[in-house]
Amino acid sequence: MTFEAQHISQTIRRDPSDIAVFAGNPANLPQWAAGLSTGIRNEAGRWITDSPMGEVEVSFRPGIEFGILDHDVIFPDGTTVHNPLRVLHNDDVSEVVFTVYRLPNVTDEEFAHDTEAVQRDLERLRDVLEA
């Protein structure tokens, strides 16, 4: 099955490696990713976050040093949602690109809400890193 995808992009006036190190550290999620994390803790090597969707696990995949911040959100029932996130060099700034997939049974309104939440999170990331 192919999911509809929307790419949300935000320019940030920082070096890509600075962004990747900060955003790829799960402990920093509550500072910028309110759509995912309002609080986070490490339990036996697993990052557990209090999210608007309830308690979930967040697991970053390898590649942070290359600006690949893909992460999985694992729900208590075992459902896993993959979230592609990239930090790209763009001349003297960086572009952060998050791909939002429209999962089965997600309404137009829910999909719009999801993409708006990601946009707000990326704007918060910009504000934190450009301060």
Side-chain angles (χ1 to χ4, degrees):
M1 168 179 268
T2 301
F3 301 121
E4 177 184 348
Q6 185 165 345
H7 306 288
I8 312 296
S9 178
Q10 178 63 58
T11 300
I12 299 179
R13 289 177 177 81
R14 288 290 295 267
D15 185 83
S17 62
D18 294 340
I19 297 168
V21 166
F22 179 83
N25 180 346
N28 293 329
L29 287 172
Q31 294 181 57
W32 67 273
L36 174 61
S37 179
T38 58
I40 194 161
R41 63 195 173 279
N42 188 305
E43 293 183 359
R46 297 173 53 226
W47 288 97
I48 308 299
T49 183
D50 301 313
S51 81
M53 304 149 298
E55 190 174 275
V56 297
E57 179 181 350
V58 177
S59 176
F60 279 85
R61 294 189 175 191
I64 291 172
E65 67 275 14
F66 302 112
I68 300 168
L69 305 180
D70 292 9
H71 56 283
D72 294 329
V73 176
I74 305 145
F75 293 88
D77 69 359
T79 301
T80 300
V81 176
H82 179 66
N83 297 289
L85 177 59
R86 300 292 194 285
V87 181
L88 309 171
H89 181 261
N90 184 3
D91 195 26
D92 62 344
V93 299
S94 297
E95 206 65 33
V96 179
V97 182
F98 190 112
T99 301
V100 180
Y101 289 124
R102 183 176 183 160
L103 301 176
N105 303 315
V106 170
T107 67
D108 290 344
E109 183 178 293
E110 291 167 330
F111 190 57
H113 179 268
D114 289 346
T115 58
E116 290 165 6
V118 167
Q119 183 64 58
R120 285 191 303 273
D121 285 350
L122 294 182
E123 289 168 0
R124 227 176 341 274
L125 179 62
R126 176 202 59 209
D127 293 347
V128 167
L129 290 172
E130 288 185 358

